[in-house]
Amino acid sequence: MISFLDLQKINKRYAEELKQVASEVIDSGWYLNGERLQEFETNLAAHTGVNHAVGVANGLDALRLILRAWIEQGFMEKGDEVIVPANTYIASVFAISDNGLTPLFVEPDIHTYNLDISKIEESITEKTRAIMVVHLYGQVCWSPKLEKIKEKYQLKIIEDNAQAIGAKYMPHSNSASVSTGALGDAAAFSFYPGKNLGALGDAGAVTTNDEQNAEIVRTLGNYGSRKKYYNDYQGLNSRMDEIQAAFLNVKLKYIDEENDKRRKVAQHYIEGITNPDIVLPSTTALTSSHVWHLYVIRHPERDQLQKNLSEQGVQTMIHYPVPPHKQLAYKHLSDEKFPVTEKISEEVLSLPISSVIDNEEVASLTDTVNSYAQ
Ligand SMILES: *Cc1c(COP(=O)(O)O)cnc(C)c1O
């Protein structure tokens, strides 16, 4: 059996260090807003290449809090629109509508599955204030054209970086690269256990170079309070536990190494999968480095392929079977048409990829996929 993601195996590599820091937190008697969180925020900001990082409870809250802070900063107000890819994970969209903002769906590119930047401009209206780019499956979504649109329409850009920690954008082959999380005005990270950098529970973070935004995000996540029992905003309770910060400090040291291992697995798939009915993910390798949170193929008879693989002991998943505008949660949007998004949702299949899947498993999986014929 090849499991989709073996978290036990991933965390086993760090078990000694994790147990050590857990016992330090237990013994310290200090469980929130302490020195482990501060240390993680410093480390994450340095790793990302930004001035500020703020630890929060999860990735959804990171997204929500950035937009909420922008409302408090006067950059937008309820009823304004935020452009978001139509094929993203639901959290991106919840963060927008939860703030009383309107999600404006734009189709993805069929090859990269990232927001189709050439379709943004035609969607912009008087009420559009921001673009949410999602570095989906671990691939950077950014381009000079996107920067031009931002300038021309004076828009904010929020990065949903939940799947792409450590990915880098390189504007030209000889220029310095910029990490995802440092490209837009602010970025949200998720440390959900299955993400490339996974906590042992929920955690998330916001990164930004805007000092005021960072300070308001921090305040909003702490009951809107700067001074205990004085509340400046109607805030939330969204803080990163000291124990999760301690775990993440251990695992952040290894994230680049882990991402390299994922790249090797992806390279094996790219070279090994030759089945003509399968569309491999297309990458913009020249200008960005992918961190392969997911390895997503397409097949016209996806459900059959998934069933066949499962019968041969290969566990796969679908990211995502139902696009946001087709969810019951957004039933008032169900008449909108996004043919590219819908095709993607019908054909995608995610193969196992991680830092612990071994060469033999990848080889056997590649053979299984190649031997499948309709
Ligand atoms: C995981 C994820 C989130 C949400 O993160 P949580 O920590 O689970 O709240 C948001 N956006 C994308 C694209 C994700 O993959």
Side-chain angles (χ1 to χ4, degrees):
M1 221 299 268
I2 303 180
S3 68
F4 182 73
L5 184 64
D6 190 342
L7 286 180
Q8 204 174 19
K9 203 166 170 187
I10 289 174
N11 287 320
K12 202 178 165 87
R13 301 178 61 206
Y14 311 119
E16 285 312 309
E17 277 187 87
L18 295 172
K19 285 175 188 169
Q20 175 62 32
V21 297
S23 77
E24 285 168 15
V25 172
I26 293 166
D27 293 345
S28 77
W30 194 277
Y31 306 117
L32 283 169
N33 295 337
E35 51 191 62
R36 273 111 195 150
L37 175 60
Q38 250 180 34
E39 187 188 337
F40 178 66
E41 290 175 343
T42 303
N43 293 341
L44 181 67
H47 186 264
T48 308
V50 293
N51 294 335
H52 308 281
V54 181
V56 299
N58 54 63
L60 170 60
D61 278 2
L63 291 164
R64 289 165 77 196
L65 288 165
I66 291 167
L67 294 171
R68 200 145 167 160
W70 283 349
I71 292 173
E72 296 293 350
Q73 289 178 274
F75 297 139
M76 54 191 68
E77 57 184 30
K78 285 190 178 4
D80 284 342
E81 296 161 348
V82 179
I83 286 175
V84 62
N87 64 324
T88 187
Y89 178 56
I90 197 78
S92 320
V93 192
F94 277 173
I96 298 169
S97 57
D98 178 70
N99 276 299
L101 300 161
T102 303
L104 210 58
F105 293 118
V106 170
E107 288 267 49
D109 178 279
I110 187 72
H111 304 294
T112 64
Y113 312 123
N114 269 335
L115 187 62
D116 187 342
I117 290 165
S118 74
K119 288 189 185 145
I120 292 178
E121 212 163 354
E122 65 201 41
S123 309
I124 293 174
T125 78
E126 289 282 288
K127 285 185 161 286
T128 309
R129 296 287 174 270
I131 302 171
M132 186 183 292
V133 296
V134 182
H135 307 298
L136 201 67
Y137 308 150
Q139 173 152 242
V140 181
C141 176
W142 199 264
S143 76
K145 168 131 198 212
L146 179 67
E147 291 173 2
K148 283 210 190 81
I149 295 171
K150 170 181 163 60
E151 283 310 309
K152 183 170 168 192
Y153 296 92
Q154 295 290 296
L155 304 174
K156 290 270 168 200
I157 298 188
I158 172 172
E159 294 173 74
D160 181 339
N161 196 32
Q163 302 189 354
I165 184 169
K168 290 190 164 62
Y169 171 72
M170 212 182 296
H172 314 287
S173 54
N174 57 353
S175 62
S177 61
V178 182
S179 295
T180 56
L183 289 161
D185 295 287
F189 290 64
S190 165
F191 308 113
Y192 175 80
K195 297 287 158 76
N196 288 28
L197 175 59
L200 279 69
D202 275 316
V206 170
T207 59
T208 180
N209 282 318
D210 176 350
E211 186 176 358
Q212 190 190 37
N213 182 252
E215 198 274 334
I216 297 178
V217 163
R218 187 183 299 285
T219 305
L220 284 171
N222 188 34
Y223 284 101
S225 172
R226 292 184 169 101
K227 186 175 160 198
K228 207 167 170 68
Y229 305 126
Y230 292 81
N231 308 86
D232 301 340
Y233 307 105
Q234 296 177 27
L236 319 174
N237 176 353
S238 183
R239 302 176 290 222
M240 183 191 292
D241 297 336
E242 282 287 282
I243 199 157
Q244 297 304 340
F247 291 147
L248 288 168
N249 270 323
V250 169
K251 291 183 74 180
L252 181 63
K253 291 185 290 187
Y254 304 103
I255 185 64
D256 295 327
E257 189 187 304
E258 295 247 332
N259 283 341
D260 279 339
K261 289 189 174 147
R262 287 172 178 272
R263 286 193 192 101
K264 293 212 173 77
V265 177
Q267 199 56 39
H268 278 286
Y269 283 145
I270 290 166
E271 286 161 12
I273 299 177
T274 53
N275 186 326
D277 297 322
I278 289 177
V279 181
L280 298 183
S282 127
T283 67
T284 46
L286 259 186
T287 55
S288 74
S289 76
H290 200 315
V291 293
W292 299 103
H293 174 57
L294 296 169
Y295 189 87
V296 179
I297 60 169
R298 275 195 294 129
H299 190 284
E301 303 287 336
R302 185 266 318 276
D303 293 342
Q304 283 300 107
L305 172 61
Q306 182 175 41
K307 185 161 168 279
N308 180 280
L309 291 176
S310 154
E311 284 161 6
Q312 298 187 65
V314 177
Q315 211 180 32
T316 59
M317 306 241 303
I318 298 169
H319 300 91
Y320 300 92
V322 183
H325 72 283
K326 291 289 184 197
Q327 296 284 359
L328 264 182
Y330 290 113
K331 50 182 179 291
H332 61 290
L333 302 176
S334 63
D335 289 340
E336 293 193 27
K337 294 275 176 287
F338 299 101
V340 180
T341 295
E342 283 156 36
K343 183 180 168 68
I344 289 172
S345 71
E346 285 157 17
E347 297 188 348
V348 286
L349 187 68
S350 306
L351 302 182
I353 189 165
S354 75
S355 57
V356 293
I357 182 167
D358 63 40
N359 287 346
E360 259 168 55
E361 287 173 312
V362 176
S364 118
L365 215 152
T366 303
D367 288 345
T368 311
V369 167
N370 283 337
S371 64
Y372 177 75
Q374 262 169 274

